[in-house]
Amino acid sequence: MSFGPKGEALRRRMLGGLPVTLWLWKTLPLAAFAGLRVIRLDGAACSVRLPGGWRTQNPFRSTYFGAQAMAAEMSAGAPALALVTDAPASVAMLVIGLAATYSKKIVGPSVFTFEGVADMGAAVARAAESGEPEVFVARSVGRDGAGDVCAEFEITWSFKRRAR
């Protein structure tokens, strides 16, 4: 799966340096403060780096669950944004559910990866074509610096064509 011209331009901007940092501070200041960065975004997957340290830790010196949720949501939200940008009709996107399982505490940096970009693209296309809401469950897996799975998130998205 590949992005169209508008989605590809957005994808390149999200992987950039200072411009994406400034955009994050304007639109998602909490994510910018936490230091979230999109490190991979292509037609197959999206990965978001969550740095460790004082900005994202809880009183037990591990990564706060809310910071993990932000990284997981961004790993699915970045490709969703690129996909709706390319849709043939204006499509709204909204998170309507979130479920998480934590299997190991994260101490230090971690990476959250969503690997269903093509399936999400099909859901966006169906929503743009039919006008009916499409519900899509995106699974994001968080791994610590050693590559061990520490958390799994299911973010439920709703995609719906906007009225003209």
Side-chain angles (χ1 to χ4, degrees):
M1 192 235 127
S2 61
F3 297 105
K6 291 179 184 177
E8 179 60 25
L10 182 64
R11 183 192 79 80
R12 282 195 309 270
R13 281 195 309 272
M14 284 188 201
L15 292 168
L18 183 60
V20 76
T21 301
L22 295 173
W23 178 80
L24 277 175
W25 277 108
K26 179 183 174 197
T27 58
L28 297 167
L30 198 54
F33 180 77
L36 297 181
R37 291 289 176 266
V38 176
I39 58 172
R40 175 186 177 192
L41 176 53
D42 56 40
C46 180
S47 296
V48 173
R49 181 181 56 82
L50 175 62
W54 66 273
R55 294 181 294 180
T56 59
Q57 76 182 14
N58 61 28
F60 309 106
R61 305 228 187 260
S62 60
T63 303
Y64 181 58
F65 79 95
Q68 293 179 49
M70 278 195 306
E73 190 271 341
M74 185 180 274
S75 73
L81 189 57
L83 291 165
V84 301
T85 300
D86 272 336
S90 181
V91 175
M93 55 187 249
L94 181 66
V95 173
I96 60 172
L98 177 75
T101 303
Y102 303 94
S103 53
K104 180 182 173 189
K105 77 179 189 174
I106 298 174
V107 178
S110 57
V111 175
F112 285 77
T113 302
F114 163 62
E115 295 183 330
V117 177
D119 293 334
M120 180 183 271
V124 170
R126 286 191 304 271
E129 186 177 303
S130 73
E132 295 299 315
E134 278 289 322
V135 174
F136 180 81
V137 179
R139 184 172 174 267
S140 180
V141 177
R143 297 177 186 275
D144 63 11
D148 297 331
V149 173
C150 298
E152 297 179 42
F153 285 80
E154 288 186 346
I155 302 102
T156 305
W157 291 89
S158 174
F159 298 104
K160 183 179 180 191
R161 186 176 70 203
R162 291 185 172 103
R164 295 179 187 195

